[in-house]
Amino acid sequence: MLAEHITLTQRNPITGHSRRRTRVDIRYAAVDDVVFRVTDFRSGFQPVRVELADEHLTAAGLHAWRQSWYRNFCGDMDTFEAAVTWMADNFLSQESAEVLTLHEQVVETWQMLEVDPARLAAPFRVVELHNDHYLAIANDPRPLLWEYDNLVWEDGTPRLGGSAILAEASRHSPSLDGADYTGWVVSSEGGRSYSDVIKRKPDALACLRTTAAANLSTASGSR
């Protein structure tokens, strides 16, 4: 995700709540399948802190996260703008297989933490990657991620087999990607299921939400 496609908001996209404090400025950003909390302490002695959001977790989930080494995979910046650049360029860096693997392990560890359903604003959130691409991501992805339990990293760490992404909506056209049509397509199940071409963006986003809700219900009902 490019920096210009990352939007900082005062409202946590998972919980729907804002953390208003007089001495700090807290913002949130949905970046692909994770949510960051960015804290400006408004002090020249403390940097702008970038970390994965944890307000949606249970007490047990929060304890597990605070005890995890992966919680330290965060950044200290000078400004909000620098924080956005860090999220776009550094956290999702693919300069080496080692860095990419570390990123995936951090994401998987965060996604498997115990979520408090009472703290979720909705079953899923819609993330705008850019004007032509949207994702619907489960706010509690654990039922989906447990789909496979026999995968491991090379170091023996258990690896998840599912995906937190419930559905995607993307726009296609001859000028955009060489397609022989112009319109939106909603896909799910890792690209194994596609909708017909949808002309209007509002209709495509409505289809995205309907498809995400159906996939979430299927996943929850099969566990």
Side-chain angles (χ1 to χ4, degrees), residues 176-187:
L176 189 62
D177 57 7
D180 57 0
Y181 61 89
T182 297
W184 292 78
V185 173
V186 175
S187 63

Side-chain angles (χ1 to χ4, degrees), residues 1-188:
M1 179 180 284
L2 299 177
E4 56 262 35
H5 298 146
I6 297 177
T7 302
L8 295 179
T9 64
Q10 292 185 337
R11 189 178 301 275
N12 185 323
I14 297 179
T15 66
H17 295 150
S18 302
R19 295 177 61 180
R20 300 184 181 279
R21 298 181 180 180
T22 57
R23 296 185 179 181
V24 297
D25 188 359
I26 300 176
R27 308 289 179 90
Y28 297 90
V31 182
D32 289 343
D33 47 1
V34 299
V35 173
F36 286 99
R37 180 176 62 242
V38 185
T39 305
D40 182 358
F41 294 94
R42 295 176 176 173
S43 170
F45 302 101
Q46 290 182 283
V48 175
R49 187 72 169 172
V50 185
E51 54 196 338
L52 291 174
D54 55 19
E55 293 91 333
H56 61 295
L57 303 176
T58 62
L62 184 59
H63 176 76
W65 181 237
R66 289 176 174 173
Q67 297 300 312
S68 170
W69 177 89
Y70 295 119
R71 183 177 185 268
N72 297 320
F73 199 65
C74 53
D76 292 329
M77 307 296 142
D78 294 327
T79 62
F80 278 133
E81 290 75 15
V84 169
T85 299
W86 182 89
M87 287 185 283
D89 296 340
N90 296 335
F91 184 79
L92 297 179
S93 173
Q94 299 185 19
E95 295 178 355
S96 68
E98 181 180 357
V99 171
L100 181 59
T101 298
L102 177 59
H103 160 252
E104 291 179 349
Q105 289 179 317
V106 171
V107 171
E108 290 183 355
T109 300
W110 181 77
Q111 288 177 334
M112 285 307 302
L113 296 167
E114 187 174 85
V115 175
D116 184 352
R119 298 187 178 185
L120 303 183
F124 59 86
R125 62 187 180 275
V126 174
V127 176
E128 179 183 354
L129 297 185
H130 51 75
N131 291 333
D132 299 314
H133 194 183
Y134 291 78
L135 302 178
I137 301 172
N139 278 330
D140 183 0
R142 293 173 300 162
L144 298 130
L145 298 176
W146 278 124
E147 185 173 356
Y148 306 102
D149 57 5
N150 59 348
L151 302 178
V152 296
W153 295 93
E154 291 183 0
D155 62 2
T157 304
R159 182 173 185 181
L160 309 177
S163 172
I165 300 174
L166 296 163
E168 299 187 43
S170 53
R171 183 177 178 274
H172 306 271
S173 71
S175 60
L176 189 62
D177 57 7
D180 57 0
Y181 61 89
T182 297
W184 292 78
V185 173
V186 175
S187 63
S188 60

